[in-house]
Amino acid sequence: QEWAASANEVVRKRGASLQLGPRQHAFGFSATLLTCILLLGGFGIANGVVAKSDHGHELDQGHHQQSHHRSPGWFNEDEEIAELAGTPSNHESLRGSRPVREEAYFVDNEELDAKSPGLGYRASPVVKDKVGGVYAAWGSKVMGVDNGDGWLKTSNGYLPYYVHGKAVVIKFATPEEEGSSLTSQVQSGGASHINYNEAAQNGMRSWEELERQQGHLGRWCTAHNHLKQCSVSFVCKAGFCSECTISRDCNEKHACEWDASAGHRICIPRSLTRSWTWRETVCTVLIVVTALLSAAAGMGGGGVYVPLLLLLLGFSTKEAIPLSQAMIVGGAVVNFIMFCGERHPEHNHRPKIDYDVVMMLNPGLAAGVTLGVMCNLVTPQWFIVVILIVTLVLALQKSLGKGIQQFKRESKQLAEKAAKGQSAVPAGSVKIRFADIPSFFVLAQENSRPLSLIGGCWLVFLACNFIRAPSCTTAYWFQRLSLVGICLFFTMSGQTTIRSRLSSKGTSEGMMGWTESTLWLYPLMATVAGFLGGFLGIGGGIIMGPLLLELGMDAPASQATTAMFVFLSSSLAAIQFMVLGKSMPEFALWFTAWVVVSTFAGQTVIDYILQRWQRSSLIVLSIAAIIAGSLCMMTAIGAKDIYVDIARGADMGFKPMNLCGH
């Protein structure tokens, strides 16, 4: 009703003040009437007719004048200025006829993405004539008058509409402007289509239906109020509520799909069953293959899972990472259950999972990941991609070279056995292996001290994940320093445990040797590995696998120990995402179920290969395969992000303020 009254008032006042000829009179009135009909769905017809009958005779029938030349009596400080002042983008049309009443404007930083706290005032309409220390905070509302030359005049000084070609001052939309934007979309054959023939047959829509289906489109919006202005169905683009184009335009857990009833693309909650296409099929198959290789390597596979979800399913990073963590923890649980009761293949008195290594390296790995994530926030994407390529290329070179060498050595040993008349391929059959619980309890009792330190470190980090201080506060920095101190404490406690064994146990082949120097060197290397994992966003497992092989650990023991690292880190992340409500249960259950089955199958197959062909090199080659897949896909994702940043003119330098959430 308010819109209808406003439209009627516009017709009356403009008709009375403009001096138009008969043709312009008829054309102008028809356009106004059509706008009312389209906007109000038929309810404004009567208002248009009344406006014509009451005020049409006031038009001057004998004088022709262009529509943008107004008579001196057109301005009214109370009403007409607010009605016809227009948006900041149209300020050029107001030269010589500037309004004298202040209007509301929004100080927007969405396009400019400046790191300053606000937009500085100027003493005059000159960029360099700044008012020292006075600014309009980003996201605030200011009152001012359009100066007609690209500047807004306020009580505190002048503000520019644009900085470096980016809109920074935007006029608040009035109901008439919102309706006009919506009407223009309908008239131009855009995404919004209102079928009034159907409405006449089926009954007129209620205002609630009109608001839900059409009312949000064309509204003015910013990054701060887009949910209120556009609802979850539409997205904010170029300052107006618009249809989505791709799923990443939408909020978390929503996908962009065509809505036949509304006649446009909207954001709807994601549903695996409703939106199943060939992409979901291909993604599932590739995830199964990745899980098989990850099981053989003892890795999590997150460096492949995340790019698959981004490229094939169109997930955002905020959606893909929690889902990836759910899949990783599913595979890690299977790995731990199958490895926990096994003993070292060469040293039967030791467990296959080297708990001493986990005890010594896990605190440093966790501290490194924490520092790496903080540095990731302030580093430009191009720099991250360069470091990613260098790191994974080196890891691929090391693991692939070691795997090929080991494969050749195993082939030579099998050939020697065949020459001596021994069976090169022992008889064997596939054995289904489950958890050896009695053996685990025995091994746990023998390694109670390392397991206690491992569990204590895990619980401390779990508590810190839920007790987060606001960024860049004193409590925040105290918490970060405390985490580093806690990691140092657990590392020193592990050193005490290892030193008590140095005199009684020597270094064995295929196991990591501990000396006074390596007690500090190896944890430091784990810290660097964790830093790279957090900084590059690929996790620590993909770095720890090649590192353990390089430090002299046997491939089967490296596989089990790396799986333990992955289990500890992924379980922390998965619990946090689940409590925060970031997971999507339908997708998580589907993909995690496939990862669990594939991990179990992968472990069974690799056990059969190790038993029948003694080819432990396949474990190392599986590590190389996972690294190669991560290298290709993560590089592709990073290169795409760099291209987008360059195209939109984003800041390509370091951004320290991002650490504090600015």
Side-chain angles (χ1 to χ4, degrees), residues 160-424:
Y161 285 117
Y162 296 91
V163 174
H164 301 308
K166 310 293 184 181
V168 291
V169 174
I170 303 175
K171 180 176 178 291
F172 277 102
T174 63
E176 291 89 344
E177 291 167 337
E178 291 180 352
S180 176
S181 175
L182 171 62
T183 304
S184 64
Q185 293 186 35
V186 177
Q187 291 175 330
S188 62
S192 306
H193 301 284
I194 305 178
N195 190 334
Y196 289 99
N197 291 330
E198 179 181 354
Q201 298 173 0
N202 301 331
M204 299 304 297
R205 302 177 185 178
S206 65
W207 281 109
E208 290 77 9
E209 292 175 328
L210 181 63
E211 173 73 15
R212 183 177 65 254
Q213 296 180 7
Q214 305 292 340
H216 292 286
L217 280 176
R219 280 187 172 185
W220 168 85
C221 62
T222 68
H224 304 279
N225 66 0
H226 68 281
L227 286 178
K228 179 180 178 180
Q229 292 290 93
C230 308
S231 77
V232 296
S233 299
F234 302 105
V235 298
C236 186
K237 292 183 178 180
F240 292 96
C241 297
S242 309
E243 295 184 22
C244 58
T245 305
I246 58 177
S247 294
R248 293 184 196 177
D249 292 339
C250 304
N251 294 321
E252 292 183 43
K253 303 180 183 180
H254 285 72
C256 183
E257 296 185 8
W258 174 261
D259 185 2
S261 61
H264 41 238
R265 297 178 67 86
I266 62 174
C267 298
I268 61 176
R270 288 189 181 273
S271 173
L272 183 66
T273 55
R274 185 186 64 246
S275 60
W276 185 273
T277 62
W278 64 270
R279 292 179 177 272
E280 281 73 15
T281 302
V282 173
C283 187
T284 302
V285 172
L286 293 179
I287 285 176
V288 168
V289 174
T290 303
L292 289 171
L293 293 174
S294 299
M299 294 181 173
V304 179
Y305 293 149
V306 172
L308 286 177
L309 297 173
L310 293 176
L311 295 174
L312 288 177
L313 302 188
F315 281 19
S316 65
T317 304
K318 293 182 179 180
E319 295 170 328
I321 291 178
L323 182 55
S324 172
Q325 289 296 333
M327 291 187 279
I328 292 173
V329 78
V333 168
V334 174
N335 282 331
F336 178 74
I337 290 175
M338 300 182 74
F339 287 137
C340 66
E342 289 195 353
R343 295 180 177 270
H344 196 284
E346 302 296 333
H347 309 282
N348 196 47
H349 65 283
R350 300 288 298 164
K352 193 173 185 179
I353 300 176
D354 197 328
Y355 295 112
D356 287 348
V357 172
V358 178
M359 173 186 64
M360 288 297 299
L361 303 189
N362 189 56
L365 181 69
V369 169
T370 301
L371 296 175
V373 170
M374 294 172 63
C375 292
N376 177 274
L377 296 175
V378 304
T379 307
Q381 185 67 26
W382 65 266
F383 189 82
I384 295 175
V385 172
V386 171
I387 301 299
L388 173 71
I389 295 174
V390 172
T391 302
L392 293 186
V393 165
L394 291 176
L396 177 61
Q397 179 186 7
K398 292 288 185 180
S399 57
L400 184 60
K402 188 175 288 291
I404 293 175
Q405 290 178 2
Q406 188 171 346
F407 185 85
K408 292 179 179 180
R409 185 169 60 251
E410 291 167 351
S411 299
K412 184 178 179 180
Q413 292 174 354
L414 291 176
E416 291 175 353
K417 288 183 179 181
K420 294 178 181 180
Q422 300 178 0
S423 175

Side-chain angles (χ1 to χ4, degrees), residues 42-259:
F43 288 112
I45 295 178
N47 289 330
V49 173
V50 172
K52 179 178 179 181
S53 60
D54 290 345
H55 306 289
H57 64 278
E58 298 180 11
L59 298 177
D60 185 354
Q61 302 295 323
H63 183 71
H64 178 78
Q65 185 177 359
Q66 293 184 355
S67 59
H68 65 273
H69 289 265
R70 313 294 185 182
S71 63
W74 177 77
F75 284 101
N76 184 307
E77 293 184 4
D78 296 330
E79 296 178 346
E80 278 92 358
I81 296 302
E83 174 188 332
L84 298 175
T87 63
S89 60
N90 296 327
H91 62 270
E92 291 294 338
S93 63
L94 299 178
R95 289 184 181 272
S97 57
R98 292 195 298 270
V100 295
R101 196 184 70 168
E102 290 187 338
E103 296 179 289
Y105 290 81
F106 182 77
V107 185
D108 185 33
N109 192 32
E110 182 178 6
E111 292 186 16
L112 184 61
D113 193 23
K115 305 310 175 189
S116 59
L119 181 62
Y121 284 101
R122 272 68 172 177
S124 63
V126 178
V127 174
K128 296 183 179 181
D129 191 12
K130 294 183 179 180
V131 179
V134 182
Y135 62 87
W138 299 120
S140 64
K141 184 178 74 170
V142 297
M143 301 298 295
V145 177
D146 185 359
N147 204 47
D149 55 359
W151 291 83
L152 178 70
K153 184 178 181 180
T154 71
S155 59
N156 293 322
Y158 291 85
L159 293 175
Y161 285 117
Y162 296 91
V163 174
H164 301 308
K166 310 293 184 181
V168 291
V169 174
I170 303 175
K171 180 176 178 291
F172 277 102
T174 63
E176 291 89 344
E177 291 167 337
E178 291 180 352
S180 176
S181 175
L182 171 62
T183 304
S184 64
Q185 293 186 35
V186 177
Q187 291 175 330
S188 62
S192 306
H193 301 284
I194 305 178
N195 190 334
Y196 289 99
N197 291 330
E198 179 181 354
Q201 298 173 0
N202 301 331
M204 299 304 297
R205 302 177 185 178
S206 65
W207 281 109
E208 290 77 9
E209 292 175 328
L210 181 63
E211 173 73 15
R212 183 177 65 254
Q213 296 180 7
Q214 305 292 340
H216 292 286
L217 280 176
R219 280 187 172 185
W220 168 85
C221 62
T222 68
H224 304 279
N225 66 0
H226 68 281
L227 286 178
K228 179 180 178 180
Q229 292 290 93
C230 308
S231 77
V232 296
S233 299
F234 302 105
V235 298
C236 186
K237 292 183 178 180
F240 292 96
C241 297
S242 309
E243 295 184 22
C244 58
T245 305
I246 58 177
S247 294
R248 293 184 196 177
D249 292 339
C250 304
N251 294 321
E252 292 183 43
K253 303 180 183 180
H254 285 72
C256 183
E257 296 185 8
W258 174 261
D259 185 2

Side-chain angles (χ1 to χ4, degrees), residues 530-559:
F531 176 84
L532 290 174
F535 178 71
L536 302 176
I538 57 178
I542 199 171
I543 307 294
M544 288 303 298
L547 177 61
L548 295 179
L549 293 174
E550 196 66 24
L551 296 179
M553 184 176 287
D554 276 344
S558 172
Q559 175 197 23

